[in-house]
Amino acid sequence: MGANLAWLGCGAYCLGLTMVSLGVRYAGLGLWSGVALGLTLALIGAGLAALILPSRWPLGPPLGGWLALGAIAALAALNYGWHYPSPDRLDISHQLKPLGSPEQVVWGQIETMPRLNRNGKGQFWLQSDRARPVDPHSPIQSPPQPVRGRLYVTLAAEAIKPLHPGLRVKLQGKLYVPAPAKNPHGFDLPHYLASQDCYAGFSARQVQIQVGDRSPGWGLWRVRQRIAQAHLQGLGERAGALVSAMALDRRAVNLPYDLQDSFIQAGLAHILAASGFHVSLVLAVVLGLLNHPSLVGRLARPGVVKLTVGSVALITYALITGAQPSIMRATVMGLGVLVGIVLERQVKPLGCLLLATTVLLLWNPRWIEDIGFQLSVMATLGLVVAVPALSDRLAWLPPGLVSLVAVPLAAYGWTIPLSLFHFNTLTTYSLLLNMVVTPLVSVISLGGIFSGLIALLSPAIAAMVAWLLWLPTHLLIALVEWETHLPGSTLATGRLALWQLFSLYGLYSLYVCTAGNGWQRWQRWLLLWLVPLVALGPLWYGSCSRAQITILAAQGDAVMVVQDRQSTLVVNSGTHRSAFYTLLPFLRQAGINRIDYGVVGISSDADNWQLIAAQTPVRRLYQAGTEVEPIQPTYPLALDHSQPLGRQRIQLLSDTGTALKLSLFGHDWLVLSGLAPLDQHRLMTSGILLASEVLWWDGAPLSPEFLRAIQPRVAIASTTRLSSHLEATLRAQGIQVFWPERDGALTWNPRQNYRAYLSSDRPDPSNLDG
C-alpha cells in the first residue's frame, strides 16, 4: 500500500501541475487565477475521491490517503505559481520607460557561448548589472544605474568572434520589449524569453570587452569548444558540426540551419538533441567496462564502484550537454538504475520514470511546459509500456531486428500526438528511416562521445579518431536529404485541439491497461481504429467545411491566404523572412498541403515562391503584371478580365500590377500597392468600377476623391508604418481600419466577420529586427 500511495502521490503532483499549466498557458487565465483553479479542482477531486473510491476500491488508499493526494496536487499548483517567471524590482526590463532614449549602454557578463541565429546575426545571453541611457545631445552622460536580469542580445556576426562565456562586456544599442505573436499559433517570443527568465531584448550596435576585469579562462564551454574543434578538424564543417551536435546537443554547437531543417523534416530531430538514447549509450559503455571479467574480480564492492563511476559519467555528460530537461530526465533515471544495482534490486521502469519526472518537476515545475521534456517523457513511457508487447508480436523476426523495429515504433507512436499538437506535421517516412539509421546513429554518437573524451587530452588524436566517422556521417546525411526530397515526406495536418491530445493518450492508456484483462481482440482493435479517427477526423472535417480569409502580419508585406473548403488561394509570397517565418508556418498549422492558386503580385519574390513550392506545391500560378521571374509555368492575368480562381475571382486593373480587384465569397476587395496620386487619378477616371467593401493597400496616402470612389467599409493596411492622421481620417468616415503589424493577423469568416488576432489598442510594433 505504501509504495502504491507513493506512486499515486507522484501522479497527483504531476496532475496538479498539468491542471494549472493548462489554465495559464492555454486557457488564457492569469497566473493566480490559474493557480486558484488548480487548487479548487484538486480539492474537489480529492473530496469526491475520498467519498466514492474507498468503498469501490478496497485495496486503494483510505479516505485520508485521498485527501492527502488532493493536498499534494494543491501544493503542485502553488509551486507552479511560486516558480512562475516574473521580473523583480530591479530587472532591466523595467528600465525601458525610464530610459526612454534611442539608445542605452548596458554592462554585464556573457552567460552562453555566442552563436549565429537564422538571420545571420550573433546572439548570446547576458546577465546585466548596470545600465544608463545615451543622451546624444549632451557631452555629460548620467551615471549608470544598478539593474538585474538576463538580456537576449543580438549583434553583428563578426562581433561575436572574440566573445565567450564569463567575459564582462559593455554594450551600446537599443533595449526593446519583445512583441507577442501576431499570427494564429505563431512563435511566442515573450513566452519563450520568460521561460529563460528574460523579459527584454537588446540589439547591440557596439560591443566592448571590459579590459582588466577578471574573467574565467576555463569552463564547460571550453570543453565543448575543444570537442567541436576536434570534430571540425577531422570531418570538415558540416559533418563535424553534425557529429558534435549528435554527441553534445545541437544547442552546444553552430550546426548549419539547413542541416537542422533536413533532420527535423525527416523526423530525426531527436538525434540532434542529447536525450535518453545518449545517456543509455554512456551508461551501457560504463557498465560494460566495469563488468569486464578482468575488473570484476578485483573490485571489493563492485556495486558501489558502478554507482560512483556511473554517476560521475552521467552527471558530467549532462553538464557538458547543457543540462537540458530531456537529458536531466534520462540522467535521473540512469542514477535510479545505478542505485538499484547497489541495492541489488530490480528497478521498475514505469515507477522510475514517474519518480524521475516528479523529482525534476519539483525542482523546476516550469519544465512541464518544455516541449523537449514532454517528448522525452512520452517517448520513454512508450518504450516502457509498448516495447515488450511489440517484441512478442515481432518474435517471428530475426532476434537482432526485433528491438530495431519495436523501439522506434513504440517511441514514434507515443510521441505522435504531441508532435501533431506542437508542430502540426506528420513525418510519413520517419519510422522507416529511424529503423534504417539506428545503427549509424549509434556508431556516430558513440564515436563522437569517445573522440570528445580524447579531445580533452589531445585534439589532434581526437581529429584522427573522428575521421573514422566520415563514411557513416556522410551516409546518414545522404539518407536524410534523400528522404526529405521524397514526395509527401511531410504532411501538414493542422493543429490538434487539447481535447484530441488528451483523448489520444486516453485511448493509448486504455489499450495498454486492457491487455490480458478479459477484453476481446476486436474490442482492442476498435480502440486502435479510434486513434486515427480522433486525431484526423476533426481536422479533415474542418478543412472540408472551412471558408476563411486571412491577412497575415508579415513584416509589412501584403500576404493573403483564402481557404475555401479544400481549395487554397495565396496572394503574394512576401519577402524571404515573411515567407519562412509567417506564411509557411501558417500553412502547416492550417493543414494545407497544396496551394491550388497562387498570385504573384508586387509583394512577391521568385525565390520565395520557390521556397514555398518546395514545401507546399503550387498547382496554378498567376502573374499580376509584375516583373518577378516565374519559377514554374505561370498564367499572366489579362487586363480588365475577371479570372476565376475556383469559386473566387481576380481582375487586373493596372498593367503594372499596382491595382487588383478580388471577389472573395461574394465580397469585393480592392488591392492597391505602390499607387502614386497620379495613378489614383488615372484609375478613378478610367471608368473602372472601384466601389469595394474592402480596401487592402500599402498604407500610402489616399486622396479624398479616390476614397469616395471606393466607398470601403473596411480598410486594411499591410505596412510597417501607418499615418495616424490617415487612420483618423478613415475612421471619421465610418471606415473600420485594421493594421496587421499592430492588430495582428486579420481573419474573415461567415460566422465572425472581420476579426483581428490582437486587440487594436496595442502600441506600435516594436523593433524586432535585432
Side-chain angles (χ1 to χ4, degrees), residues 77-354:
L78 290 173
N79 195 28
Y80 181 94
W82 289 329
H83 285 84
Y84 197 80
S86 61
D88 65 16
R89 183 176 57 86
L90 286 179
D91 192 88
I92 192 169
S93 61
H94 294 312
Q95 303 297 313
L96 285 163
K97 291 183 180 179
L99 291 174
S101 65
E103 287 195 345
Q104 296 84 28
V105 177
V106 176
W107 289 262
Q109 188 174 50
I110 298 176
E111 286 191 334
T112 60
M113 194 67 191
R115 55 183 301 169
L116 296 176
N117 62 19
R118 284 188 179 272
N119 295 323
K121 291 188 175 183
Q123 179 271 320
F124 60 84
W125 295 97
L126 179 83
Q127 185 63 42
S128 61
D129 51 43
R130 289 182 296 161
R132 67 167 172 82
V134 175
D135 187 350
H137 306 293
S138 173
I140 302 176
Q141 302 293 326
S142 60
Q145 300 297 318
V147 295
R148 284 199 296 263
R150 303 182 86 198
L151 275 178
Y152 179 83
V153 179
T154 53
L155 68 168
E158 59 272 12
I160 69 173
K161 293 180 181 178
L163 305 181
H164 61 75
L167 272 182
R168 287 194 53 79
V169 291
K170 173 186 174 183
L171 305 175
Q172 182 170 335
K174 185 173 182 181
L175 191 67
Y176 63 89
V177 176
K182 298 175 184 177
N183 294 290
H185 310 299
F187 176 63
D188 192 342
L189 181 59
H191 181 267
Y192 166 72
L193 294 183
S195 70
Q196 305 296 319
D197 292 317
C198 174
Y199 309 94
F202 193 85
S203 180
R205 186 173 57 84
Q206 297 178 5
V207 57
Q208 179 181 345
I209 298 173
Q210 298 295 280
V211 179
D213 286 337
R214 298 184 62 185
S215 61
W218 187 90
L220 289 174
W221 65 272
R222 283 215 184 271
V223 175
R224 300 186 194 105
Q225 191 178 54
R226 194 179 179 97
I227 294 172
Q229 287 176 347
H231 291 156
L232 189 69
Q233 183 181 351
L235 292 164
E237 183 178 356
R238 286 173 65 83
L242 177 59
V243 171
S244 297
M246 293 175 65
L248 300 176
D249 193 280
R250 73 173 182 268
R251 284 161 286 200
V253 295
N254 276 316
L255 183 65
Y257 283 104
D258 64 324
L259 201 55
Q260 288 191 43
D261 294 339
S262 294
F263 274 77
I264 292 171
Q265 186 178 345
L268 298 178
H270 59 281
I271 290 176
L272 306 178
S275 62
F277 174 77
H278 300 79
V279 169
S280 63
L281 286 177
V282 172
L283 189 58
V285 170
V286 170
L287 294 180
L289 292 175
L290 294 177
N291 284 329
H292 194 274
S294 62
L295 287 178
V296 172
R298 300 181 182 181
L299 301 177
R301 302 181 65 184
V304 175
V305 173
K306 291 176 183 178
L307 174 62
T308 304
V309 177
S311 298
V312 170
L314 293 182
I315 294 172
T316 302
Y317 183 71
L319 292 176
I320 290 177
T321 55
Q324 300 297 328
S326 58
I327 198 72
M328 292 301 294
R329 190 274 314 157
T331 300
V332 172
M333 289 191 68
L335 293 175
V337 171
L338 293 173
V339 171
I341 292 175
V342 172
L343 299 177
E344 298 182 351
R345 295 183 59 181
Q346 185 178 3
V347 176
K348 296 181 178 179
L350 187 58
C352 188
L353 172 63
L354 184 57

Side-chain angles (χ1 to χ4, degrees), residues 61 104 116 170 240 319 334 341 411 431 457 530 569 583 618 667 669:
Q104 296 84 28
L116 296 176
K170 173 186 174 183
L319 292 176
I341 292 175
L431 179 59
L457 303 174
L530 284 175
L569 162 67
L583 178 56
V618 183
H667 301 269
W669 289 56

Side-chain angles (χ1 to χ4, degrees), residues 138 144 221 277 294 342 386 604 616 641 658 663 668 692 704:
S138 173
W221 65 272
F277 174 77
S294 62
V342 172
S604 290
T616 310
H641 171 69
T658 56
S663 178
D668 288 334
S692 301

Side-chain angles (χ1 to χ4, degrees), residues 21 26 36 54 70 75 86 97 152 161 223 232 278 313 341 351 394 445 479 488 506 529 561 598 611 622 690 713 750:
S21 174
Y26 298 105
L75 288 175
S86 61
K97 291 183 180 179
Y152 179 83
K161 293 180 181 178
V223 175
L232 189 69
H278 300 79
I341 292 175
L394 297 172
S445 298
L479 285 171
W529 280 106
V561 179
L611 172 68
Y622 291 91
L690 297 178
R713 291 196 306 107

Side-chain angles (χ1 to χ4, degrees), residues 498-519:
L498 270 176
W499 72 266
Q500 291 173 278
L501 179 67
F502 285 102
S503 297
L504 288 173
Y505 281 120
L507 289 172
Y508 282 15
S509 303
L510 186 59
Y511 182 83
V512 171
C513 294
T514 54
N517 286 344
W519 279 49

